[in-house]
Amino acid sequence: MATVEVKSSSKAHSGAVDERAIEPAKGKLGVMIPGMGAVATTFVAGVEAVRKGIAHPIGSLTQMGTIRLGKRTDGRSPKIKEFVPLAGLNDLVFTGWDIFEDNMYAAARNAGVLERDLLDKVKARLSAIKPIKAVFDHNYVKKIDGPNVKKGKNKLELAEQLRQDIRDFRKSSGASRLVTIWCASTETFIEPSAAHQSVKALEKAMKENDENIAPSMVYAYASLMEGVPFANGAPNLTVDVPAMLELSREREVPICGKDFKTGQTLIKTVLAPAFKARLLGVSGWYSTNILGNRDGEVLDDPGSFKTKEESKLGALEHILQPALYPELYGNIFHKVRINYYPPRGDNKEGWDNIDIFGWLGYPMQIKVDFLCRDSILAAPIVLDLVLFLDLAQRTPELRRLGIQEWLSFYFKSPMTPPGLYPEHDLFIQLIKLKNTLRYLKGEELITHLGLEYYD
């Protein structure tokens, strides 16, 4: 399988350079969002506030991040948005699907993440974004229901309705390019089945209303069929099945996921690499969360919690590699809990108790209490993924890969090709991301070896 992780010099042959040639970001970029809840409304309101000059895009790598080029002594560190041709914020146009009929301003008010004073300054723009009827199955999200739902004789017909929505938005918005990013609820846990093994099997299962075809898969299928990149911000299976990988590669449409890496898992992917780097043992890691937004309500259902639990549990095993370090991590007890607590609203609190041991096996403890704002952390991730997926779609070498593993930096459960374990270490993920950008622009990859400074 092709990959952008290269070790050779950037002075590649001309054919490879042509493959990396990035098409310019001309015209409008349409952003289509299944799920116009707390994350989506915080993202769109934030973009509008930044466009009006009343806020800064804090947390966004594409807007505020820099990238070092060449040697440390060269002094070349442009902003990422100046180094690669990303769409500008003024070029973004928005739409979304939701089971509730509230426009984006009303939905943002209901979510309770942003203060009314800020929302009122962008009210006109948000009020104009009204939700399209959604594809929804109450069996997949048991704790919520709403009236704004599509009807069709089978899931393939619902996918055709979504494809028409996409075509209509492309025309009405005047967008030259589109990206779909899933910001809707966590669906109940399912495992890959025969229905997910090929595009042919997937389409047959959709036509037969197979229960193994989740609503998120209907959105992903419709997007890929319309040539629209798809990012999965929830831990749902969605595009992480052979059929979707086949479709994305056949049609050369980028996909990535899954589950935005925001609060507790972000901290885990920072601390766990530190323990492993210093060869400190971990005997136990107990994590619990309390949150009260719609996400918390949905996760109060055991099926949806199982999906989220699987996503949150995977990071430690892949970072610590207990098979390679059995004395240090071979007997770790890892527990994750999520508790619905309405008074907390969107301001999630994550508690971690970490039992570690050091020299001669002497025990130590670390306690972390992260009082975070889930949607505030997720919104810049949504922005970056939209812009980077659009960049990938305009780059022949990247769009042919299907899975965009270089965007693992943003996800709890990064997608990889079959048989390849995911990289969870936040700092390695950032190196992968920035080296991919350097590679595309013909710059030397940075290994941090540094021997040349001592010649």
Side-chain angles (χ1 to χ4, degrees), residues 122-186:
V122 294
K123 180 177 180 179
R125 292 274 195 149
L126 295 184
S127 298
I129 305 171
K130 298 176 174 62
I132 308 167
K133 286 187 176 182
V135 172
F136 182 73
D137 184 342
H138 189 62
N139 292 320
Y140 272 87
V141 184
K142 292 183 168 61
K143 289 290 184 176
I144 60 173
D145 212 341
N148 201 40
V149 177
K150 292 185 187 299
K151 298 188 184 303
K153 64 182 180 182
N154 57 49
K155 294 175 182 180
L156 191 60
E157 184 178 289
L158 292 173
E160 290 300 323
Q161 292 181 35
L162 290 177
R163 293 183 67 179
Q164 188 60 51
D165 292 341
I166 294 170
R167 291 190 288 264
D168 290 345
F169 177 64
R170 191 191 297 270
K171 185 176 180 180
S172 65
S173 67
S176 57
R177 308 175 317 284
L178 302 173
V179 170
T180 303
I181 186 158
W182 179 272
C183 294
S185 297
T186 298

Side-chain angles (χ1 to χ4, degrees), residues 236-256:
N236 312 328
L237 201 56
T238 316
V239 286
D240 201 4
V241 292
M244 296 296 184
L245 178 55
E246 177 190 340
L247 190 59
S248 69
R249 296 198 66 163
E250 277 183 1
R251 294 185 169 257
E252 297 188 3
V253 185
I255 55 175
C256 64

Side-chain angles (χ1 to χ4, degrees), residues 301-322:
D301 170 65
S304 293
F305 169 72
K306 173 68 172 173
T307 307
K308 177 67 78 170
E309 182 184 35
E310 291 290 316
S311 174
K312 291 171 78 71
L313 283 172
L316 282 189
E317 181 179 353
H318 287 295
I319 292 173
L320 297 177
Q321 296 177 296

Side-chain angles (χ1 to χ4, degrees), residues 42-52 89-90 92 94 122 383:
T42 303
F43 157 61
V44 176
V47 170
E48 296 295 351
V50 173
R51 290 205 276 212
K52 289 176 72 73
L89 297 191
N90 288 328
L92 301 184
F94 306 100
V122 294
L383 174 59

